[in-house]
Amino acid sequence: MEEITMNNKPKILYHGSGIEITDGFIRVKSAYLTRTGEDITAVFALSDFVHAKLYAIMRLVADDGKISPCERDAVYIQIINQEIPKKAYVYELDSDGFQQDMGGSYYCLTDKKIKSIIEIDVMQEIKNGKLKVHVLKKEFNKP
């Protein structure tokens, strides 16, 4: 069971990435808040490890960068990357300093120190059926 803080925010949040970070910090970057579209410079994280893992993997699997909204165990893409990197990463972060976005993700306006790193074997996730990859023809309409 996950540990919750006084304001119902989990103590640990997860940041998924296809990039190995070696300096110990997730750095703020330009993005936007999910529901409002407001531009923001922040570190984003999720309370759900599985969702963070999927986020880390999905951008590595798509060759054209076009990814549809995903299900808990599936990603829908238009072109599969023929050279999928071997590893994706999920970084555990302390939730101190994070605020919740209306879309359910969390954001922090400062760089965040990494508590631990979980390496994900991308091809093993696909082979074991933990991630289903659906290649679509023209539109992002689920099969």
Side-chain angles (χ1 to χ4, degrees), residues 94-143:
D94 189 308
S95 68
D96 289 345
F98 278 91
Q99 302 171 51
Q100 191 167 21
D101 179 8
M102 289 173 56
S105 64
Y106 291 85
Y107 64 96
C108 181
L109 302 176
T110 60
D111 296 343
K112 288 300 291 183
K113 183 167 178 44
I114 297 168
K115 288 182 65 93
S116 67
I117 302 169
I118 302 159
E119 287 189 1
I120 310 298
D121 183 321
V122 176
M123 291 311 294
Q124 201 61 42
E125 292 287 312
I126 295 169
K127 287 177 186 175
N128 290 345
K130 292 180 182 175
L131 174 66
K132 296 171 189 78
V133 177
H134 303 283
V135 181
L136 305 174
K137 297 296 179 197
K138 294 183 181 186
E139 304 269 335
F140 286 129
N141 296 321
K142 295 181 183 177

Side-chain angles (χ1 to χ4, degrees), residues 31-79:
Y32 60 93
L33 294 178
T34 307
R35 298 280 187 225
T36 65
E38 176 186 343
D39 289 329
I40 189 171
T41 301
V43 170
F44 283 86
L46 299 162
S47 60
D48 180 36
F49 171 78
V50 173
H51 191 187
K53 178 175 71 169
L54 183 60
Y55 184 83
I57 293 171
M58 69 182 184
R59 291 199 186 320
L60 299 176
V61 174
D63 191 35
D64 59 358
K66 295 179 181 176
I67 307 160
S68 78
C70 52
E71 297 170 0
R72 190 159 173 83
D73 66 346
V75 63
Y76 297 83
I77 62 175
Q78 288 186 317
I79 302 171

